[in-house]
């Protein structure tokens, strides 16, 4: 083999090794992100499960609470009755939820992330209703919505509070599960295609890829629209 051929072979081997290392690093980052999101989802499901248990307990004690109030009022203990009502109100406030679709996993991720949206002062418009039986798995649905909301929050963050908004709608459209997320953005209007997804960097880019892969997994449809000051994503998944 000539020195030139040896040199070319060495360059080729080095290039292949570099590509292999980059693929390994990318794969490792994706796996780390998946593990983190799944761990976070499990924690959120546990939290909402605890809320449901608390709510069931409160409803179970409903008649006991009424009896306690009637007894105090019958004895003329108005102040004690008011204090009792105040304690019940505090208890209910602590378990108030934003999302109550009845889908435990879905409510977990929505309550966790939308509560954060409200705490940040972003205007939130939200409505969700899902069928009891879904084709998409609970994990995939939560990954999908979690990434959609995370990306919407990230787009809003650079803007002044008064300009931030997120609108989320989940329902059934033409016998398909319909998800729509619209949010404020300061990004310039651009063409939204596969190149836009692959060029995004960091967690935002990983989130876009996971959204697309999940939709493709179920043979669904996704549409993104970027207009001045507004970014919108629509998704249809078969039921």
């Amino acid at each position: 083999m000539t020195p030139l051929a040896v040199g070319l072979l060495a360059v080729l081997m080095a290039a292949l090794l570099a590509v292999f290392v980059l693929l390994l690093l990318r794969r490792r980052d994706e796996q780390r992100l998946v593990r983190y999101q799944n761990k976070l989802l499990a924690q959120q499901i546990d939290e909402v499960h605890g809320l449901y248990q608390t709510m069931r307990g409160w409803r179970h004690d409903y008649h006991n609470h009424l009896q306690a109030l009637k007894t105090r009022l019958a004895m003329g203990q108005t102040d004690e009755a008011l204090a009792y009502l105040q304690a019940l109100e505090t208890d209910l406030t602590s378990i108030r939820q934003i999302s109550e679709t009845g889908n435990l996993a879905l409510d977990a991720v929505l309550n966790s992330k939308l509560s954060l949206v409200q705490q940040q002062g972003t205007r939130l418009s939200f409505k969700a209703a899902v069928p009891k039986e879904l084709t998409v798995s609970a994990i995939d649905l939560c990954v999908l919505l979690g990434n959609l909301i995370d990306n919407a929050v990230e787009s809003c963050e650079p803007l002044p509070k008064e300009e931030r908004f997120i609108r989320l709608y989940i329902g059934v459209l033409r016998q398909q599960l319909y998800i729509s997320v619209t949010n404020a953005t300061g990004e310039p209007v651009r063409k939204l295609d596969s190149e836009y997804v692959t060029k995004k960097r960091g967690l935002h880019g990983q989130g876009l890829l996971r959204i697309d892969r999940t939709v493709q997994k179920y043979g669904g449809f996704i549409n993104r629209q970027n207009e001045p000051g507004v970014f919108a994503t629509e998704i249809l998944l078969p039921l």
Side-chain angles (χ1 to χ4, degrees), residues 46-91:
D46 287 342
E47 291 173 2
V48 173
H49 183 68
L51 292 176
Y52 276 135
Q53 291 297 103
T54 302
M55 179 63 79
R56 289 195 192 101
W58 197 93
R59 287 173 177 169
H60 181 265
D61 293 335
Y62 174 74
H63 292 292
N64 292 334
H65 292 313
L66 285 182
Q67 189 60 45
L69 285 170
K70 288 179 179 178
T71 300
R72 284 167 171 75
L73 291 173
M75 297 175 64
Q77 297 176 350
T78 307
D79 292 340
E80 288 80 355
L82 288 173
Y84 195 95
L85 283 172
Q86 182 63 44
L88 289 178
E89 184 179 9
T90 302
D91 189 33

Side-chain angles (χ1 to χ4, degrees), residues 58 65 68 75 77 117 124 127 137 160 207 214:
W58 197 93
H65 292 313
M75 297 175 64
Q77 297 176 350
V117 169
L124 174 65
K127 183 177 181 181
S137 73
T214 303

Side-chain angles (χ1 to χ4, degrees), residues 3 10-11 20 47 52 66 69 74 106 109 120 138 157 167 181 192 217 225-226 233 237:
V11 171
F20 180 71
E47 291 173 2
Y52 276 135
L66 285 182
L69 285 170
L106 180 60
V109 71
Q120 293 175 338
E157 279 179 342
R167 294 193 291 268
V181 181
L192 304 180
K217 177 180 177 180
Q225 296 291 333
N226 185 197
T233 304
L237 296 172

Side-chain angles (χ1 to χ4, degrees), residues 130-148:
V130 296
K132 291 183 179 180
E133 300 295 331
L134 294 173
T135 301
V136 59
S137 73
I139 292 294
D140 285 337
L141 182 58
C142 291
V143 166
L144 189 65
L145 285 163
N147 281 292
L148 284 168

